Amino acid sequence: MAPPFSNSVQQLTYQKVADYLSGSDLFQASLRTYRDRPKFDILYGSALIEIEVLPWEVHPWEAGDLATVRATSCVTVGSTLECELLQFLLTENRRMRFGAFHLDDAGQVVFSESVLGGEEMSIIELQTCILSVVTIADTYDDIIAERFGGQRASDRLPQSFPQPLA
């Protein structure tokens, strides 16, 4: 059963992402899909990455349905939110070529990147979006947890990653 979509571009983008992830030697073993929303989870190293295919409803173009792919990882939970950590994240953001660190509403350290979906989305753009989050989250979760405390995804997940839902 496919998740609900807001438009055909979102559906096309979802299928491209699903094909890439399920065919990838890096991700197929840890891929989790959802029946009720266009979202995937992958576990890579010590990082959990959420990949969402979202409709882009308010955009600068006059006509046309659009969609985006957003890859996000909660890098650490419970890190001490002090000036030193925030300065570290801002300094590291300057070094990033793709994606950026930010804090979510709960004060957790997050890293994310987005790409425009649709028919024109290339596999290299999709790979860059996902792999940048995978690489940075899996590298920096150890660094941040060691320097500023907190837990990595692998510290919070059950021993066996849940089986795919679809």
Side-chain angles (χ1 to χ4, degrees):
M1 182 173 144
F5 301 103
S6 295
N7 60 58
S8 61
V9 177
Q10 183 188 22
Q11 184 173 8
L12 171 69
T13 303
Y14 175 86
Q15 191 57 55
K16 285 179 142 183
V17 174
D19 292 346
Y20 168 69
L21 292 173
S22 63
S24 169
D25 290 339
L26 285 175
F27 306 127
Q28 60 184 267
S30 69
L31 178 62
R32 178 171 57 188
T33 60
Y34 293 81
R35 291 186 188 119
D36 61 339
R37 59 188 180 266
K39 179 183 173 186
F40 307 89
D41 291 340
I42 53 176
L43 187 61
Y44 185 86
S46 57
L48 174 66
I49 293 80
E50 298 176 352
I51 301 160
E52 297 176 282
V53 180
L54 304 165
W56 190 11
E57 294 156 346
V58 179
H59 52 76
W61 294 278
E62 287 183 30
D65 292 329
L66 295 174
T68 62
V69 177
R70 180 174 59 201
T72 305
S73 180
C74 180
V75 180
T76 61
V77 172
S79 296
T80 305
L81 295 180
E82 293 180 356
C83 188
E84 186 181 351
L85 171 60
L86 302 179
Q87 182 66 43
F88 174 79
L89 297 176
L90 289 172
T91 300
E92 294 305 304
N93 275 347
R94 285 197 329 254
R95 299 178 57 209
M96 297 299 149
R97 300 296 178 254
F98 301 97
F101 288 105
H102 60 275
L103 302 177
D104 68 6
D105 292 339
Q108 301 172 103
V109 177
V110 176
F111 188 84
S112 63
E113 167 68 338
S114 296
V115 65
L116 185 61
E119 200 170 310
E120 302 298 319
M121 180 182 69
S122 72
I123 191 69
I124 194 75
E125 291 171 322
L126 179 60
Q127 286 175 323
T128 301
C129 176
I130 294 171
L131 292 175
S132 65
V133 174
V134 164
T135 304
I136 296 301
D138 189 43
T139 301
Y140 278 82
D141 62 355
D142 295 323
I143 295 167
I144 293 170
E146 184 177 315
R147 284 184 62 182
F148 306 102
Q151 293 183 308
R152 307 166 304 159
S154 63
D155 300 329
R156 301 181 317 269
L157 289 174
Q159 291 294 0
S160 61
F161 192 65
Q163 294 297 311
L165 301 175

